[in-house]
Amino acid sequence: MSIKSLDITSSIRLKFRDRIARRAKNQDSPMSLSLYIIEGLETKTGVGGGRFDGLSREHFPPFISLSPFSSRLSNSNGLFSLLSLSLSKKMQQIQHHHHHRHEAPPYLVFSTAFPKPPLNPPSSLHLPRHPGRRRRLLRRRAGRRPSSPPLPPARCFSSDEFPVDETFLQNFGPKDKETEDQARRRNWIERGWAPWEEVLSPEADFARKSLNEGEEAFRMLNPRHRQQRMRELGLTEDEWYRKQFEIKGEIPERLSTLWAGPLVVRQVAPRDWPPRGWDVDREELRFIREGHRMMSERVDLEDLESRVSADTDDMCLDRYKVFLKQYNEWVEANKDRLEEESYKYDQDYHPGRRKRGKDYKEGMCELPFYYPGQICEGKVTTLHLYQGAFVDVGGVYDGWVPIKGNDWYWIRHHIKVGMHVIVEILAKRDPYRFRFPLEMRFVYPNIDHLIFNRFEFPPIFHRDEDSNPDELRRDCGRPPIPRKDPGTKPEEESLLSNHPYVDKLWQMHVAEQMILDDLEANPEKYQNQKLSELVDDDYDEEKSVKYTKAYYKKSLIPKVILKTSVRELDLEAALAEREFHNKMRKEAEERGEAYKISKFRRNIEMDEYDLMHWHRSFEEREALIRDISCRQALGLPLEEPGRYVDGSYFGKDQYDPSNPLYRYDYWGEPKNSEKSKQQRMTDAHNKSIVGKGVVWYEMPYEDVIKQKMQREAASKGVMQKEVEDQDSNEDDEDDDGDFDYSILGDPNISFENQPLVNGTESSRISDEGMFED
């Protein structure tokens, strides 16, 4: 924006000049004087004064100050040298204030609020009113510096500020001495807000205090700034990183672990020894398992404490030594295979993965060595925020202590990497399926009661071979995938008697009869060869079924050709059967009777297969009913819990593969389909009774159609009778003939079978046309 862009009308100019003149007469304010001197500049120095570009003072309103003009005037004319100290300081103050705000161009400064005039203005600015005397006095005092102290800097405010008193900043300005917690507590008291200590949980409060480190935390991400901070503190890099892991805040006292009784560490073989598929000596295994029987004996604690000793000489370790011998044999045979499987399945590193390669040490215990309930001593190797702690107990797998996010707040002081702990094994799982095969809990330090958020299920691996999700979830102890309840009751379904082999038997029977028909028609073709020795070299089992099309009554319909191998047929038995039937037919014809074949040999065989299938189906139903009865007697669920849920569980418009709506080529029900026709008829019937209310039939659609046809036939009979009556009574001119009783229907018609809709009987008058579209 340039000065030339200001355009002020002449009337406003006159008003501004009058105001300037009044201000000059008062001579109280330094700002009045400055404007008066600018007015004098117009007459004394001319209009073309350098930066003003030919604009006179009348172009500017009284609230516009020209910032660089005092230095310009002092260079051009010595007339204003007297005011060069106070006035230029005033202008520089204004110019400096507004240059920092970037709200105006360098030549123009807008100031809407003028400072109040000082109570005791300096005498050097009180000049005589006569212009001639004023000029002489100014020349006399031009080279002399005023002895009075300089003016205090006036307060200038931009257009978006308002003048306030000095107490405003004292009351409402920022207080550097007040800490954040003090300010927050003052806010609670003044505004009645709930304090953070009451609102936040201890975990959240810990996170706020430990994680909210301000901008310095982001600056520390820069390596150069980090090195500079290390040099300022005089720390080496190791000391610096060690300091990062120090506990912030109060360090609680160490937990003292107390047990109700002595901690018994047993040397007992696992109960699941030997592993599946590994054969051991039966006598040795029986000897090992006698130790498990001895463990089930009850022991008095007082007697046990009195018999405690540290001697291992008289301990009965024979059974355990036999187990160790068998275990070492198993390790030697399976160690390499297990390592290969680990490389095959666990390619990515994760905490708790099997140790292999350079991490594997001789003598590490494999999974069969451990069992649930075993007490082990170990060392904490890893702390993971979302998984938990991992403890090395000397095995190929690190034990997993499940700890979830917020629980670290309670135990962060008690568990450190590298500390020695005592753990109890809670579960041993399949390493192929589960991410952490050994699940543990801490026994020392005894912090198990401080862990609240347990994992619902241990983490698992999803493999490429997993095809059945239900089987996978069942193996992992997870609930099944919920699906809509089909609502079928298998115990009420009809028994099956259709054996799948029956179709094959009938196909073989047809092939045998076709060959025998060909034998009767062309006997010379089969001379000198037995039926059992017939061969078909061109038979291909993969191409035994051929799909084609054929015409039937001028309609092209699909046709299936089934090829049967001669080797599958029993042609000798079929030929004997046909000869028997031919003989019986000839005898019946001699007696004058018609011979009818009741059953073929293959029919009897098919019935036997169907009966076998029915027996099997019957036994399955008996077993199912027995299972249901036992479950109901014991109060057990009939289905797997969570497998079938109500349809409302899925909500509206959920994907349902059984619904034709979600078929890829579904375009809606066709207009003239049987279903929509039934719907239209139902709507028409409902509207004839209750208007547009949603009503439905209480009988099957087929019955409705049957009744409709009966009513139509009955109404046609009524109409026929009516026509006959009209012909017979043509000659009788009776007054009663004016009324047509036929609209009431025939009283002989039975209305017992009228359709009932929502308990409402349909109209007694004939409903001809009611169901029309």
Side-chain angles (χ1 to χ4, degrees):
M1 167 183 166
S2 64
I3 299 178
K4 288 182 179 179
S5 63
L6 289 172
D7 186 16
I8 308 174
T9 58
S10 58
S11 61
I12 298 176
R13 290 177 193 167
L14 292 173
K15 192 184 298 182
F16 288 156
R17 292 190 70 166
D18 295 343
R19 190 179 298 171
I20 290 168
R22 283 198 302 273
R23 292 266 180 103
K25 287 178 185 177
N26 292 338
Q27 291 186 359
D28 291 336
S29 168
M31 187 59 71
S32 308
L33 180 61
S34 68
L35 295 179
Y36 182 74
I37 290 171
I38 293 173
E39 189 68 33
L41 170 70
E42 179 186 347
T43 58
K44 184 70 182 174
T45 61
V47 182
R51 297 186 188 179
F52 291 99
D53 294 333
L55 287 177
S56 65
R57 179 64 193 123
E58 65 183 3
H59 288 84
F60 307 115
F63 52 84
I64 296 177
S65 305
L66 300 175
S67 55
F69 86 101
S70 60
S71 59
R72 177 76 180 168
L73 293 183
S74 60
N75 293 336
S76 63
N77 198 338
L79 176 67
F80 300 98
S81 60
L82 175 67
L83 299 175
S84 63
L85 181 65
S86 63
L87 197 57
S88 65
K89 277 191 177 182
K90 168 67 74 178
M91 293 301 123
Q92 286 169 10
Q93 175 71 25
I94 297 172
Q95 179 185 6
H96 176 73
H97 174 69
H98 288 283
H99 274 202
H100 282 285
R101 300 190 65 83
H102 303 288
E103 293 180 358
Y107 298 119
L108 280 179
V109 176
F110 296 89
S111 177
T112 55
F114 287 100
K116 296 176 182 177
L119 296 177
N120 298 319
S123 60
S124 62
L125 295 180
H126 281 279
L127 300 178
R129 297 188 182 183
H130 195 275
R133 291 174 61 187
R134 186 174 70 233
R135 281 196 292 272
R136 287 196 298 272
L137 187 60
L138 286 172
R139 285 195 201 100
R140 203 177 303 130
R141 297 182 180 180
R144 202 170 59 187
R145 193 178 179 85
S147 59
S148 60
L151 284 174
R155 292 195 173 186
C156 301
F157 300 92
S158 68
S159 59
D160 58 351
E161 293 180 350
F162 297 95
V164 292
D165 54 352
E166 287 78 5
T167 60
F168 177 79
L169 283 181
Q170 294 174 5
N171 294 337
F172 300 100
K175 298 179 176 60
D176 297 333
K177 296 176 184 177
E178 192 176 25
T179 64
E180 184 188 357
D181 284 332
Q182 289 172 344
R184 192 176 287 110
R185 194 166 294 280
R186 182 173 50 77
N187 247 343
W188 301 336
I189 297 168
E190 290 177 0
R191 306 195 183 189
W193 287 354
W196 280 47
E197 277 79 7
E198 293 180 14
V199 171
L200 291 184
S201 62
E203 302 98 314
D205 186 50
F206 161 67
R208 181 179 71 86
K209 288 174 179 169
S210 63
L211 302 180
N212 184 18
E213 299 185 357
E215 288 185 29
E216 183 65 20
F218 288 96
R219 284 201 206 100
M220 294 304 293
L221 297 175
N222 187 355
R224 188 180 301 166
H225 183 78
R226 196 162 57 237
Q227 296 292 338
Q228 180 184 345
R229 288 288 297 157
M230 288 184 201
R231 283 196 297 273
E232 289 175 3
L233 296 171
L235 298 174
T236 64
E237 195 165 357
D238 292 339
E239 291 171 346
W240 168 263
Y241 284 116
R242 198 176 299 118
K243 188 182 175 189
Q244 300 308 305
F245 288 98
E246 287 178 1
I247 296 171
K248 298 172 185 176
E250 304 171 1
I251 301 178
E253 301 176 3
R254 284 195 67 178
L255 286 175
S256 56
T257 303
L258 299 174
W259 287 281
L263 182 65
V264 181
V265 181
R266 301 173 296 231
Q267 296 284 7
V268 184
R271 289 177 182 262
D272 60 351
W273 178 259
R276 185 175 299 170
W278 182 253
D279 292 330
V280 295
D281 186 29
R282 294 286 109 188
E283 291 299 323
E284 290 181 355
L285 187 60
R286 192 179 298 111
F287 179 63
I288 291 171
R289 288 183 173 168
E290 282 176 7
H292 300 147
R293 198 176 301 117
M294 292 164 62
M295 281 175 56
S296 60
E297 297 175 5
R298 289 186 174 274
V299 179
D300 192 3
L301 275 180
E302 285 134 12
D303 295 351
L304 186 64
E305 288 181 3
S306 63
R307 289 187 286 162
V308 165
S309 67
D311 298 334
T312 58
D313 299 334
D314 55 347
M315 282 180 66
C316 185
L317 295 175
D318 298 337
R319 292 181 176 83
Y320 194 69
K321 287 174 184 173
V322 174
F323 158 70
L324 286 180
K325 179 179 76 74
Q326 293 185 357
Y327 164 77
N328 290 327
E329 292 172 0
W330 180 88
V331 169
E332 288 299 322
N334 294 277
K335 182 171 60 175
D336 298 334
R337 176 184 62 83
L338 293 171
E339 186 156 346
E340 285 176 15
E341 288 180 359
S342 174
Y343 275 111
K344 179 181 176 183
Y345 296 125
D346 295 342
Q347 295 173 5
D348 300 327
Y349 173 79
H350 58 87
R353 187 185 69 173
R354 181 187 172 90
K355 295 168 188 168
R356 61 202 191 196
K358 58 181 176 51
D359 297 330
Y360 182 80
K361 305 283 189 299
E362 285 297 329
M364 281 186 166
C365 299
E366 297 281 353
L367 273 184
F369 182 81
Y370 300 104
Y371 60 89
Q374 192 172 6
I375 304 285
C376 303
E377 187 183 359
K379 182 180 177 183
V380 179
T381 57
T382 309
L383 297 182
H384 196 288
L385 178 61
Y386 303 112
Q387 302 285 3
F390 294 90
V391 182
D392 180 10
V393 290
V396 290
Y397 293 97
D398 282 351
W400 171 56
V401 181
I403 303 165
K404 269 159 75 171
N406 275 352
D407 280 343
W408 282 113
Y409 166 76
W410 302 100
I411 64 172
R412 67 189 189 280
H413 310 297
H414 308 299
I415 295 296
K416 295 288 172 192
V417 174
M419 71 180 293
H420 291 272
V421 293
I422 300 176
V423 289
E424 179 188 353
I425 296 177
L426 297 180
K428 179 172 72 170
R429 301 189 174 98
D430 178 16
Y432 172 81
R433 177 57 63 202
F434 291 90
R435 195 178 182 86
F436 311 119
L438 287 175
E439 185 179 340
M440 301 177 170
R441 74 177 183 92
F442 285 119
V443 175
Y444 175 82
N446 188 15
I447 58 171
D448 196 52
H449 60 283
L450 297 177
I451 301 173
F452 301 103
N453 299 322
R454 304 288 182 181
F455 282 73
E456 292 182 8
F457 310 104
I460 62 171
F461 290 114
H462 289 271
R463 308 290 187 187
D464 295 336
E465 300 83 33
D466 300 335
S467 57
N468 188 350
D470 284 326
E471 186 180 353
L472 169 67
R473 297 173 78 90
R474 198 177 299 118
D475 290 346
C476 300
R478 284 159 163 71
I481 302 168
R483 62 196 68 192
K484 195 182 290 184
D485 189 358
T488 57
K489 294 185 177 180
E491 68 273 8
E492 294 180 3
E493 291 178 0
S494 57
L495 296 175
L496 300 174
S497 60
N498 49 347
H499 198 284
Y501 191 58
V502 163
D503 296 334
K504 181 68 176 173
L505 282 173
W506 186 249
Q507 178 186 340
M508 290 160 61
H509 169 73
V510 171
E512 288 168 354
Q513 299 303 314
M514 289 170 67
I515 292 176
L516 293 178
D517 292 342
D518 188 47
L519 174 64
E520 290 181 354
N522 307 307
E524 69 279 355
K525 184 178 174 182
Y526 296 91
Q527 279 180 354
N528 302 325
Q529 57 178 336
K530 295 181 180 178
L531 290 177
S532 59
E533 295 175 356
L534 293 176
V535 291
D536 45 359
D537 298 328
D538 59 340
Y539 176 75
D540 187 3
E541 191 173 356
E542 293 182 357
K543 299 177 182 177
S544 62
V545 182
K546 188 178 179 183
Y547 296 94
T548 58
K549 288 188 176 181
Y551 279 96
Y552 176 74
K553 293 184 179 178
K554 298 183 180 181
S555 299
L556 191 64
I557 59 173
K559 177 183 177 183
V560 183
I561 300 174
L562 301 173
K563 294 182 180 178
T564 311
S565 173
V566 182
R567 297 187 187 90
E568 297 177 353
L569 308 180
D570 191 359
L571 290 172
E572 299 285 352
L575 180 61
E577 182 189 27
R578 176 166 285 207
E579 289 173 349
F580 171 75
H581 285 307
N582 290 340
K583 178 186 168 189
M584 297 298 291
R585 184 181 295 109
K586 191 178 292 184
E587 292 177 359
E589 286 174 358
E590 289 174 357
R591 294 194 302 268
E593 298 175 359
Y595 179 71
K596 184 179 180 182
I597 302 173
S598 58
K599 274 191 177 182
F600 285 104
R601 177 181 58 88
R602 291 290 190 186
N603 288 129
I604 299 169
E605 197 174 345
M606 289 159 64
D607 288 343
E608 289 174 357
Y609 273 100
D610 281 340
L611 182 62
M612 186 198 324
H613 201 58
W614 184 89
H615 275 301
R616 190 179 300 154
S617 174
F618 179 74
E619 289 166 5
E620 284 181 1
R621 170 180 287 187
E622 289 294 312
L624 181 64
I625 292 175
R626 195 161 50 244
D627 180 60
I628 291 174
S629 305
C630 294
R631 285 177 174 275
Q632 288 176 341
L634 296 172
L636 297 174
L638 297 184
E639 288 111 7
E640 187 179 358
R643 181 174 179 83
Y644 294 115
V645 293
D646 192 50
S648 60
Y649 171 86
F650 298 100
K652 195 181 176 188
D653 298 332
Q654 288 285 337
Y655 172 67
D656 181 14
S658 63
N659 191 341
L661 183 68
Y662 294 100
R663 207 173 60 225
Y664 75 96
D665 57 348
Y666 181 73
W667 288 83
E669 281 293 322
K671 261 290 164 56
N672 55 355
S673 71
E674 199 63 30
K675 182 179 178 184
S676 60
K677 186 178 179 185
Q678 176 190 358
Q679 189 65 37
R680 290 199 305 272
M681 292 178 66
T682 308
D683 291 343
H685 180 85
N686 295 340
K687 287 173 187 173
S688 72
I689 298 176
V690 290
K692 292 186 179 181
V694 179
V695 210
W696 54 92
Y697 278 112
E698 290 183 349
M699 62 174 68
Y701 176 59
E702 291 78 10
D703 297 352
V704 174
I705 297 299
K706 200 180 294 181
Q707 289 185 5
K708 178 193 168 191
M709 293 171 67
Q710 291 173 356
R711 286 196 303 275
E712 285 176 353
S715 62
K716 282 177 184 173
V718 171
M719 296 285 287
Q720 191 79 17
K721 194 172 183 183
E722 177 189 327
V723 170
E724 291 173 1
D725 291 345
Q726 277 184 355
D727 292 342
S728 61
N729 297 334
E730 259 182 357
D731 303 333
D732 302 339
E733 294 181 359
D734 195 3
D735 294 338
D736 295 337
D738 296 340
F739 184 77
D740 188 6
Y741 291 99
S742 65
I743 62 171
L744 300 177
D746 194 344
N748 298 326
I749 297 176
S750 172
F751 289 100
E752 294 172 357
N753 295 327
Q754 290 288 335
L756 287 176
V757 182
N758 271 5
T760 308
E761 194 170 319
S762 66
S763 171
R764 294 280 175 129
I765 302 176
S766 171
D767 55 354
E768 187 77 32
M770 180 187 295
F771 295 106
E772 297 301 322
D773 190 0

